[in-house]
């Protein structure tokens, strides 16, 4: 579908009337489990909205998108209240009907991983349509952050819809300009499926639905396997966890130049790809664009970086409802940092309202020009990426940036250029904060730092850096003198690549912060 001509301004009243026509009252407030099972999919409503204005849904004005999504969220509250567990949870927050506005919606209680576990594991009492009706998929996460397994349940009919919606969006607004030509095009993933850790399944479902590409679900690859895949004619994109993308600079050493030049897009999973790795990848693959694909097992496409010119992530219109909230569940203003909250819009049978995924984001201005119109946000770190020094809380991501800048200015040591991986280890009982960085030349970098800083320079570096890394809600409470009073000692330690001193999860991720007793 293509836009025939620019749309005139569509008023809120007109958009609301359309939403009410698309989701009539009998669908909006289903009265039984049987009625929920008979509900038309929300994906069909997106198609109808696009047809009403002869415009692709992602390019419809925000007034139309906002009205339809609010109507859908109201429908989800009505649906959830058919379940006794959800009805009690909502009533406890004072919610006995559908929220009339987005302000009212923000009173819906936030869900966390414990709520997800209680509602959708074991007897799965939080499902509106019980499991025995069939037509579901159970997806499990290995608990890469907390270490406890976690399951969620999807309706198969709506899961297929989400794959198609996200795949169409990727092809139209992200990958199209990077995969040119009329010959074969390739989209691969090295995500693995094992021990029921199912990101490979979920993200693979999306990637396989990008129009006009050939999909390969490779799983973890060796250098010969990668070389074989890259020998196929045509431009290629590859998605993997951050560590899986970082290692591609090593795996490509034996490839032909033609194969290297055919690698056009590297999509890295949730988190941050070190500048050192970006430089190595671009040196190995001269035509490569490196973009973020932000996802979770509970939401297979949360935000996509559309170009290298901006770090902002764009949500897929009509897929999930994305919120960046403060500690009370209220939306933070643009430019401020908050917690990422996701509500899956395609979930008639298994609604999960306002789920916190454990990530922090900065809310950015919406895209509102010609073409795509959607929300934007910027990754700011994991919720657990906080350094606790007695009663003060410091953003670990900001602490790294401040430490990096301080060392670059005072010693010439550039952590972005040298470090493969970094990690803060907080030994709370002994009050020692250690910054670890894996580098190629441990002895050389250590000597350079020791020579430049002297015996007391590391401590002064931390005292200068930490006050600039206080979290939003603690800003201004600390200074070098107050940090001195904590009694903390500070260390910077360089280690070899893959050193056991840097802790990794079972799937190879490197948490930015690790707390010790």
């Amino acid at each position: 579908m293509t836009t025939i001509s620019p749309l005139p301004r569509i008023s809120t009243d007109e958009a609301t009337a359309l939403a009410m026509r698309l989701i009539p009252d009998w669908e909006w407030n289903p009265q039984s489990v049987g009625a929920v099972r008979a509900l038309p999919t929300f994906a069909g409503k997106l198609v109808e909205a696009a047809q009403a204005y002869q415009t692709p849904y992602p390019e419809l004005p925000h007034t139309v998108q906002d009205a339809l999504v609010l109507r859908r969220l109201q429908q989800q509250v009505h649906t959830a209240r058919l379940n006794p567990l959800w009805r009690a949870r909502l009533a406890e927050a004072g919610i006995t009907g559908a929220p009339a506005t987005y302000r009212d919606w923000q009173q819906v209680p936030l869900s966390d991983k414990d709520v997800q576990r209680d509602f959708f594991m074991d007897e799965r009492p939080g499902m509106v349509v019980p499991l025995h009706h069939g037509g579901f998929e159970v997806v499990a996460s290995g608990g890469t952050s907390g270490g406890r397994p976690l399951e969620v349940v999807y309706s198969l009919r709506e899961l297929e819809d989400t794959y198609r919606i996200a795949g169409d969006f990727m092809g139209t607004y992200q990958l199209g300009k990077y995969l040119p030509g009329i010959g074969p095009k390739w989209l691969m993933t090295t995500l693995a499926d094992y021990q029921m850790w199912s990101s490979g399944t979920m993200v693979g479902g999306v990637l396989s639905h990008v129009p006009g590409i050939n999909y390969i679900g490779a799983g973890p690859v060796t250098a010969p396997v990668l070389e074989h895949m890259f020998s196929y004619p045509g431009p290629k994109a590859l998605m993997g966890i951050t560590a899986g993308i970082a290692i591609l600079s090593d795996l490509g050493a034996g490839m032909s130049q033609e194969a290297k030049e055919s690698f056009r897009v590297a999509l890295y999973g949730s988190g941050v790809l070190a500048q050192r790795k970006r430089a190595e990848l671009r040196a190995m693959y001269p035509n490569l664009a490196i973009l973020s694909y932000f996802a979770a097992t509970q939401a297979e496409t949360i935000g996509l970086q559309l170009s290298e010119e901006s770090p902002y992530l764009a949500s897929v219109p009509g897929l999930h409802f994305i919120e960046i909230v403060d500690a009370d569940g209220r939306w933070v203003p643009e430019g401020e940092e908050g917690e990422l909250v996701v509500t899956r819009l395609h979930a008639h049978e298994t609604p999960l309202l306002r789920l916190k995924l454990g990530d922090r984001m900065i809310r950015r201005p919406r895209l509102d020009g010609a073409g795509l119109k959607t929300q934007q946000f910027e990754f700011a770190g994991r919720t657990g990426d906080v350094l606790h020094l007695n009663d003060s809380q410091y953003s670990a991501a900001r602490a790294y940036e401040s430490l990096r800048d301080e060392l670059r200015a005072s010693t010439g040591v550039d952590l972005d250029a040298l470090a493969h991986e970094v990690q803060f280890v907080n030994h709370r009982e002994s009050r020692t904060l250690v910054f670890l960085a894996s580098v190629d030349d441990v002895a050389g970098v250590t000597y350079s730092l020791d020579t430049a800083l002297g015996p007391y320079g590391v401590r002064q570096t931390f005292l200068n850096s930490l006050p600039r890394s206080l979290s939003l809600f603690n800003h201004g409470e600390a200074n070098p003198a107050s940090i001195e009073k904590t009694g903390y000692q500070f260390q910077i330690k360089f280690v070899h690549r893959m050193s056991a001193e840097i802790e990794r999860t079972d799937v190879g991720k490197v948490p930015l912060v690790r707390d010790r007793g």
Side-chain angles (χ1 to χ4, degrees):
M1 186 185 302
T2 57
T3 303
I4 296 176
S5 61
L7 288 174
R9 185 181 181 278
I10 298 171
S11 70
T12 299
D13 288 345
E14 181 183 347
T16 300
L18 173 66
M20 293 177 70
R21 289 198 304 272
L22 294 181
I23 305 179
D25 285 349
W26 71 269
E27 295 179 16
W28 180 68
N29 189 8
Q31 298 297 304
S32 67
V33 168
V36 172
R37 294 186 68 202
L39 286 174
T41 66
F42 184 58
K45 309 302 180 182
L46 303 181
V47 172
E48 291 180 61
Q51 291 173 341
Y53 293 105
Q54 289 297 293
T55 300
Y57 182 82
E59 299 182 19
L60 288 175
H62 284 294
T63 51
V64 176
Q65 294 188 32
D66 291 346
L68 183 56
V69 169
L70 178 59
R71 184 79 171 171
R72 172 65 183 122
L73 294 173
Q74 294 169 339
Q75 182 186 32
Q76 285 190 292
V77 170
H78 281 312
T79 302
R81 292 186 68 251
L82 292 172
N83 174 278
L85 205 57
W86 276 112
R87 187 164 60 249
R89 177 172 171 77
L90 292 168
E92 187 176 351
I95 297 171
T96 57
T101 65
Y102 279 114
R103 175 178 285 274
D104 295 334
W105 165 260
Q106 293 170 63
Q107 296 178 5
V108 172
L110 300 176
S111 300
D112 58 17
K113 300 297 180 70
D114 289 333
V115 170
Q116 182 180 343
R117 187 174 288 109
D118 292 343
F119 278 46
F120 294 100
M121 290 187 69
D122 299 325
E123 298 300 318
R124 311 188 199 280
M127 294 178 62
V128 170
V129 177
L131 199 66
H132 69 261
H133 286 281
F136 297 100
E137 178 174 328
V138 176
V139 178
S141 164
T144 57
S145 295
R148 297 177 62 193
L150 195 64
E151 294 179 356
V152 69
V153 185
Y154 295 121
S155 160
L156 283 171
R157 64 170 178 151
E158 291 186 291
L159 189 60
E160 185 69 18
D161 286 338
T162 66
Y163 291 162
R164 178 182 49 78
I165 292 167
D168 285 345
F169 181 90
M170 288 185 71
T172 302
Y173 300 102
Q174 186 190 45
L175 295 179
K177 59 186 174 183
Y178 294 110
L179 302 179
I182 59 174
K185 303 172 181 64
W186 304 90
L187 185 50
M188 312 163 179
T189 181
T190 55
L191 291 177
D193 278 331
Y194 56 91
Q195 298 176 342
M196 292 186 72
W197 184 68
S198 299
S199 292
T201 292
M202 302 297 293
V203 174
V206 173
L207 302 184
S208 64
H209 281 72
V210 175
I213 61 91
N214 302 294
Y215 170 67
I216 299 177
V221 297
T222 59
V225 172
L226 187 70
E227 182 178 7
H228 175 72
M229 292 193 303
F230 276 24
S231 71
Y232 301 160
K236 301 165 187 73
L238 187 148
M239 190 274 164
I241 65 171
T242 303
I245 295 299
I247 201 174
L248 296 178
S249 57
D250 297 328
L251 298 183
M255 283 186 194
S256 69
Q257 189 62 27
E258 182 180 4
K260 293 176 184 177
E261 291 175 357
S262 73
F263 189 18
R264 302 300 178 87
V265 185
L267 298 166
Y268 64 93
S270 308
V272 176
L273 186 63
Q275 291 298 323
R276 165 72 182 268
K277 293 302 177 185
R278 292 173 182 269
E280 291 177 354
L281 285 165
R282 291 192 179 101
M284 181 64 65
Y285 306 101
N287 296 324
L288 187 63
I290 303 171
L291 305 174
S292 173
Y293 182 122
F294 196 88
T297 300
Q298 299 84 356
E300 64 280 9
T301 311
I302 298 170
L304 294 167
Q305 183 182 356
L306 301 184
S307 75
E308 290 189 297
E309 283 67 50
S310 171
Y312 295 178
L313 302 171
S315 62
V316 179
L319 186 63
H320 304 104
F321 185 56
I322 308 294
E323 303 173 78
I324 313 299
V325 305
D326 61 20
D328 297 320
R330 296 289 182 176
W331 297 355
V332 302
E334 285 182 7
E336 292 193 11
E337 179 183 318
E339 185 153 13
L340 173 68
V341 171
V342 174
T343 300
R344 188 180 185 84
L345 294 174
H346 303 260
H348 284 319
E349 291 91 343
T350 60
L352 178 51
L353 308 180
R354 305 196 81 196
L355 177 63
K356 298 190 296 183
L357 292 178
D359 298 288
R360 297 192 66 77
M361 296 284 177
I362 301 169
R363 185 179 175 187
R364 295 304 186 188
R366 301 198 294 190
L367 281 174
D368 197 21
L372 177 63
K373 297 172 180 63
T374 191
Q375 295 184 70
Q376 295 187 114
F377 41 94
E378 185 177 358
F379 181 68
R382 293 287 293 171
T383 303
D385 288 348
V386 175
L387 300 172
H388 297 266
L389 272 61
N390 293 356
D391 294 330
S392 293
Q393 300 179 22
Y394 301 83
S395 162
R398 291 198 188 101
Y400 168 74
E401 292 172 359
S402 298
L403 191 66
R404 173 202 63 199
D405 294 346
E406 189 76 17
L407 289 176
R408 187 185 288 154
S410 62
T411 71
V413 171
D414 188 342
L415 291 173
D416 275 353
L418 296 173
H420 297 281
E421 299 161 327
V422 297
Q423 186 173 78
F424 289 97
V425 181
N426 189 1
H427 300 270
R428 293 206 197 187
E429 188 172 333
S430 64
R431 297 190 180 185
T432 302
L433 180 63
V434 182
F435 174 76
L436 296 170
S438 64
V439 298
D440 293 329
D441 182 9
V442 174
V445 178
T446 301
Y447 177 79
S448 297
L449 199 71
D450 290 346
T451 301
L453 292 179
Y456 306 109
V458 169
R459 182 171 188 81
Q460 192 59 50
T461 298
F462 273 92
L463 294 179
N464 293 342
S465 301
L466 286 175
R468 300 202 301 269
S469 60
L470 277 164
S471 66
L472 176 67
F473 304 109
N474 300 101
H475 188 69
E477 76 174 35
N479 53 45
S482 64
I483 296 172
E484 285 273 23
K485 291 179 181 179
T486 66
Y488 258 80
Q489 301 298 313
F490 303 99
Q491 299 176 16
I492 297 175
K493 187 173 183 179
F494 297 105
V495 298
H496 293 287
R497 293 183 66 177
M498 300 310 294
S499 167
E501 291 191 60
I502 292 183
E503 184 175 330
R504 296 168 177 81
T505 68
D506 290 341
V507 295
K509 295 182 180 180
V510 177
L512 184 56
V513 176
R514 273 296 177 250
D515 278 315
R516 300 283 188 267

